[in-house]
DNA sequence: AGCATTATTTTCACTGCTCGAATAAAAATG
DNA sequence: CATTTTTATTCGAGCAGTGAAAATAATGCT
C-alpha cells in the first residue's frame, strides 16, 4: 500500500515527467503541442519548459533544425532533448556475445563495443572485471560523454533474485550468483540495473510498433532459448522485474525432454533450436543439449522442413505443440490481445503455426475470448536494444530529471 | 500511458484517499495517528478531516466509544467512518446459492438475503430479474439504507469480457452472455461491478491475514471448481479485472479428462471434487462430470483416503499432480512468495501435498528461487465476502469520497 | 487548589503549483 | 502597412501542503 503523500513538489514532478514523456514518445514538439499532448495549460508548459531549459535538460531547436511546414501565424519553436544532458551505458549480454553501447540523452548511439563470448569467457574473466574493463575502454574513447553517464543498464537472460540485482540462474555460463551489478555500481559510482531480455523485447516491441503501444502483448522469443515478456495495456507489468517470465522453462511434458537448464520437459527443450535439432535427428530426448547451434544449421532445417522432409516437419510440429500449450497455459493466467513471435524461430512460424493454433483452440480462454492475434516478427536484436534504450532513458527522464532539485 | 495531469485537486484527492485508506485498514484513529500513518503534516490532517467531517463522511467518536488507554496530555479524539455516509449491496453468486448482503459504510452487515440455486434457476427467472427482485426486497426491508446505496458489487465465477461487464462463460447455468450488470445499473441507477470470485479470494486473504498484506500471494480455491486469484506485493494486479485467472481451466493434460467447461484435460477436471470422485470410482475420464457433488460424499472420500484406501489416495494423488503442475506452470509467468490453498479441498491438502511439491520441485523457478510457502486454509466463504466487502468500500472511499466536490 | 507538564489539535504566515485571461510576439496576407 | 492568425509569456487568483506557534485539555506534583 506504499502510496505516498502528494504535495506541490510531486505535482511538479508528475507534470515534468509528463512533458519529458511526451517528448520521448513524439520527438521534438512545440510548446502548444506539448500543452495539448499532456493536457497541461499553456501557462504551465511555459513554466515547466523554462525550468527544464534553464537546467539544460531540454533546449529550443534552431529554426533550421525543424521541418518547416509553415503557414500563417507565429512559427512554433520546437523543444527537444539536450543530447548533452546525460548519457547511458547499455550492455547486452547474450550466450555468445556481449555488446556495450553508449547512447546520449537524445537516444543517439555514440559508440559501441562488441565482444564474442564463449562458455569459458566468464570463467577466465570474472563478469565484474569483464564489464568494468569494457566500460572503462568506452569511457576513455569518449571522455566528454564519460562524465555525464548516469546509468548502466544490462540486458541479461535468466532468473533474477527478488531485488533484481543478482542473476540466480542463467544460460550464460559462469555469470549466475556473481554480484556484478552491485560491484559495478560501486566501482563506477553509478546506478546499475539488470533487465531480463524477454522483458525488454516486450518493451521494444511497444516502441517499434505504435499499434502495440497500448495493447496487452506477450512477446515470445524463439531461438537458442525460448523466452517471453509481457506488457499490460501498454504498461510493463509490475514496477521492476515482473513482466518478465520464465516461459521457456515452463513445464510442457512431465519428465520430458532434457533442457539446458537441467530440468526435464521445459518448453525450450522442444522449441528452441537445439530442441528442434535433437528431435529432427532422432537424438534421444535425454541426451545433453548441444551447447550452441550454428545459425545455418537451424536455417537448413527450416529449409528441409519447408521442402516437406518428414523428420524436420515433425520436429517443428513438436516445437509448435510445446509453444502452443505453453501459450495456452500462460493464457489461463494472463491473456494478451496480441502475441508476437520473434527471433530466429519466427522464420519457422509457418511450420509451427498449425500446432500452436490447435493447442490454443483447446483452451477455454481462447474458446471464449477468441484466439489472440499471433504475429511473427523477424529480427529480435533491435527490439532488445531499443527496449533497453527506451527503458533506460525513460528511467532517467522520470527519476533523475522529473525531480526538480 | 494514460498518466494524468496533476493539480491541486488531485493532490487533495490523493491525500484524502490516504486518510480514508488508513481508517479503512486501521479502524478509528486520532488525528495524530493519521498524521504519522499517512505521512501528512498535522496541519493538513486538520484541514482534511475538517472537510470530511463537514461532508458527513467521517465523524468524531464520542469519548465513551474509545478504549481508554489514557495517560498525561490532552486526550485524543478518534475519528471513524460515518456509517450512514453510504452503503453497498453485495451479491455472491455461486453454483448452488446466491447471497445478497447490505453493508453500511463502516463495513457492518445490515441485512442479508440467501437463496438456493439450481441449474434451472436462471432459466426460469432471467438473471436481471432475479437480482433486481432481491435487491428490491432488501431495499424495502431497509428503507433508510436504500436511499444511500452507492454501489452494487457482484461476485461471480467464470470468464468476463474485456470491459468486465458481461460473463462470457460461467459454471453457473444460464447466466453467461446476459447483460445483467448493465441492466441492473440502469434499473437502479447505480454503478454495478462484477468481480471474479478467485480474485476476491486473493483480496480477502490479504485483509484476513495482515502478514499477507504486502506479499505476492496466489490464492487457489479447490472445491467444486478450481480457481485462483493473485496479489502482487499487496496490490491486486492490474486495475480492473486482472489478477483473476482461469487457473482451473489451465490445460494439464493434452486431450485429458473431460472438464465441466467442455474442454479436455483442465486442472479442474482432475482436482475438483467431481474430478477426484470420478477418478476414485474409476469412471472413465471422458464421462460427463457430475453436476454437483454433495459435501459429505467428498468428505467421505477424504476420510477413506486418509484411512489408506488405494483408489481414494490415487485420486487425490492425481488431483495433487494436476494442481502441482498447474502451479509450476503458473510460476513460470508469475511467481508469488506465498500460495494459499482454500476451499473444501484445503482439507485434503495433506493427501495432495507430496504430489504438489514433487511437481513444483521439477520447475526451474522453484529450484532457483526455492519453493513458495504453501498454506492450506479452510473456509473460503468469509474471504470471498470480506474481499468483496473491502474491495467495494475501498472503491467508494477512493472514487466517491476522495474526490472533494 | 494551583501551577507545571505533557500530548493533541488548530491557527497562521509562507511557498509552490496550476489555471484562465490578457498581453506580447512573430509571421503571412491583402 | 494594417489585419489576421498562430504561438508563447505574463499576471493575478485560488488552492494545496508545511513548519512553527498557539490553543486546548487532561494529568501530576506541591
Amino acid at each position: 500500500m506504499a502510496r505516498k503523500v502528494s504535495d506541490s513538489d510531486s505535482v511538479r514532478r508528475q507534470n515534468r515527467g509528463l512533458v519529458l514523456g511526451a517528448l520521448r514518445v513524439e520527438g521534438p514538439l512545440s510548446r502548444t503541442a506539448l500543452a495539448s499532448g499532456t493536457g497541461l495549460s499553456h501557462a504551465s508548459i511555459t513554466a515547466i519548459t523554462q525550468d527544464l531549459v534553464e537546467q539544460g535538460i531540454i533546449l529550443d531547436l534552431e529554426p533550421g533544425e525543424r521541418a518547416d511546414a509553415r503557414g500563417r501565424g507565429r512559427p512554433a519553436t520546437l523543444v527537444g532533448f539536450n543530447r548533452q544532458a546525460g548519457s547511458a551505458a547499455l550492455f547486452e549480454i547474450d550466450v555468445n556475445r556481449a555488446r556495450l553501447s553508449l547512447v546520449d540523452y537524445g537516444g543517439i548511439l555514440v559508440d559501441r563495443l562488441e565482444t564474442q563470448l564463449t562458455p569459458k569467457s566468464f570463467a577466465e574473466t570474472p563478469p565484474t572485471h569483464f564489464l568494468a574493463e569494457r566500460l572503462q575502454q568506452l569511457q576513455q574513447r569518449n571522455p566528454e560523454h564519460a562524465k555525464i553517464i548516469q546509468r548502466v543498464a544490462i540486458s541479461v537472460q535468466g532468473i533474477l533474485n527478488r531485488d533484481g540485482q543478482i542473476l540466480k540462474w542463467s544460460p550464460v555460463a559462469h555469470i549466475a550468483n556473481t554480484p556484478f551489478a552491485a560491484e559495478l555500481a560501486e566501482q563506477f559510482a553509478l546506478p546499475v540495473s539488470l533487465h531480463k531480455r524477454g522483458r525488454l523485447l516486450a518493451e521494444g516491441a511497444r516502441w517499434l510498433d505504435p499499434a502495440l503501444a497500448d495493447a496487452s502483448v506477450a512477446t515470445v522469443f524463439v531461438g537458442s532459448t525460448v523466452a517471453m515478456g509481457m506488457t499490460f495495456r501498454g504498461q510493463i507489468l509490475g514496477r521492476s522485474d515482473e513482466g518478465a517470465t520464465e516461459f521457456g522453462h515452463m513445464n510442457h511434458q512431465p519428465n520430458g525432454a532434457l533442457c539446458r537448464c537441467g530440468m526435464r520437459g521445459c518448453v525450450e527443450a522442444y522449441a528452441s533450436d537445439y530442441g528442434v535439432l535433437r528431435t529432427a535427428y532422432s537424438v534421444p530426448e535425454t541426451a545433453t543439449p548441444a551447447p550452441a547451434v550454428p545459425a545455418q544449421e537451424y536455417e537448413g532445417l527450416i529449409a528441409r522442413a519447408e521442402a516437406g522432409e518428414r523428420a524436420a516437419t515433425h520436429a517443428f510440429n513438436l516445437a509448435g505443440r510445446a509453444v502452443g500449450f505453453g501459450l495456452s497455459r500462460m493464457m489461463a493466467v494472463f491473456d494478451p490481445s496480441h502475441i508476437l513471435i520473434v527471433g530466429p524461430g519466427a522464420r519457422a512460424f509457418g511450420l509451427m503455426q498449425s500446432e500452436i493454433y490447435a493447442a490454443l483452440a483447446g483452451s477455454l480462454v481462447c474458446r471464449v475470448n477468441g484466439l489472440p492475434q499471433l504475429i511473427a516478427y523477424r529480427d529480435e536484436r533491435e527490439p532488445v536494444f531499443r527496449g533497453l534504450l527506451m527503458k533506460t532513458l525513460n528511467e532517467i527522464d522520470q527519476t533523475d530529471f522529473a525531480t526538480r532539485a
Side-chain angles (χ1 to χ4, degrees), chain A:
Chain A
M1 280 269 144
R3 282 208 305 169
K4 282 278 284 291
V5 160
S6 187
D7 58 10
S8 74
D9 239 46
S10 61
V11 168
R12 197 36 168 272
R13 188 168 344 131
Q14 164 81 358
N15 291 341
R16 280 167 67 109
L18 237 39
V19 168
L20 293 174
L23 291 174
R24 191 61 73 193
V25 175
E26 311 273 346
L29 292 172
S30 71
R31 288 166 169 80
T32 310
L34 274 173
S36 72
T38 59
L40 286 159
S41 70
H42 280 203
S44 303
I45 291 292
T46 297
I48 290 171
T49 52
Q50 219 160 48
D51 266 23
L52 291 171
V53 168
E54 271 167 27
Q55 292 166 72
I57 295 167
I58 63 174
L59 34 73
D60 283 296
L61 266 57
E62 293 311 310
E65 305 184 56
R66 51 197 160 85
D68 272 321
R70 47 169 36 106
R72 275 164 86 94
R74 173 176 172 175
T77 349
L78 305 190
V79 293
F81 291 113
N82 174 7
R83 289 177 42 196
Q84 272 92 60
S87 68
L90 311 174
F91 280 104
E92 292 159 87
I93 301 178
D94 266 339
V95 173
N96 41 31
R97 78 167 177 180
R99 188 160 80 161
L100 168 59
S101 313
L102 180 64
V103 296
D104 67 25
Y105 185 53
I108 308 295
L109 183 65
V110 175
D111 195 3
R112 181 169 271 179
L113 220 64
E114 216 151 338
T115 318
Q116 294 302 311
L117 289 184
T118 69
K120 288 182 294 182
S121 298
F122 290 124
E124 291 159 358
T125 320
T128 310
H129 257 93
F130 179 93
L131 299 174
E133 204 172 276
R134 271 150 193 82
L135 185 48
Q136 254 157 9
Q137 194 179 332
L138 205 72
Q139 285 183 324
Q140 277 158 17
R141 285 201 328 212
N142 305 275
E144 69 295 352
H145 278 95
K147 285 174 274 179
I148 55 171
I149 292 181
Q150 297 181 292
R151 270 181 164 57
V152 180
I154 310 179
S155 157
V156 294
Q157 292 176 61
I159 301 183
L160 298 173
N161 70 347
R162 283 212 181 276
D163 63 26
Q165 283 298 292
I166 292 184
L167 269 170
K168 298 192 75 173
W169 174 84
S170 177
V172 178
H174 304 109
I175 198 170
N177 295 310
T178 51
F180 61 89
E183 290 178 1
L184 269 187
E186 181 168 2
Q187 190 169 333
F188 290 87
L190 285 173
V192 175
S193 54
L194 300 184
H195 305 273
K196 297 187 64 160
R197 188 150 143 285
R199 185 233 164 112
L200 295 171
L201 267 175
E203 180 106 24
R206 208 178 96 195
W207 289 99
L208 289 174
D209 185 344
L212 302 176
D214 300 319
S216 300
V217 184
T219 307
V220 182
F221 172 85
V222 180
S224 61
T225 67
V226 175
M228 188 179 79
M230 312 188 297
T231 62
F232 173 66
R233 305 217 186 128
Q235 302 288 58
I236 302 289
L237 273 185
R239 195 72 206 108
S240 56
D241 171 46
E242 302 303 322
T245 67
E246 285 309 320
F247 181 73
H249 301 286
M250 177 190 281
N251 179 275
H252 168 51
Q253 190 89 58
N255 221 18
L258 184 62
C259 179
R260 257 193 203 132
C261 74
M263 293 295 170
R264 308 261 316 252
C266 299
V267 169
E268 176 178 308
Y270 297 92
S272 67
D273 53 12
Y274 70 81
V276 179
L277 243 75
R278 186 166 55 187
T279 314
Y281 289 106
S282 303
V283 178
E285 282 195 339
T286 52
T288 309
V293 175
Q296 66 267 39
E297 193 158 355
Y298 186 63
E299 293 289 333
L301 197 65
I302 294 177
R304 283 163 48 199
E306 277 167 346
E309 195 180 304
R310 283 298 272 286
T313 55
H314 175 242
F316 282 107
N317 278 342
L318 278 194
R321 194 174 157 81
V323 171
F325 273 100
L327 288 174
S328 132
R329 284 157 179 159
M330 176 224 17
M331 292 184 66
V333 176
F334 171 80
D335 74 314
S337 54
H338 300 256
I339 296 177
L340 243 64
I341 311 278
V342 304
R347 283 194 127 66
F349 180 65
L351 298 163
M352 302 189 286
Q353 112 178 269
S354 65
E355 286 286 337
I356 294 179
Y357 280 117
L360 287 178
S363 84
L364 179 61
V365 177
C366 293
R367 196 191 61 185
V368 171
N369 279 338
L371 292 172
Q373 205 176 329
L374 272 161
I375 309 163
Y377 192 94
R378 291 291 175 73
D379 182 29
E380 87 292 1
R381 171 123 285 130
E382 275 326 284
V384 170
F385 175 70
R386 197 156 180 83
L388 186 59
L389 170 67
M390 295 315 267
K391 173 104 193 69
T392 306
L393 293 179
N394 200 50
E395 187 98 1
I396 294 176
D397 291 344
Q398 303 301 325
T399 308
D400 300 350
F401 288 159
T403 310
R404 186 167 92 291

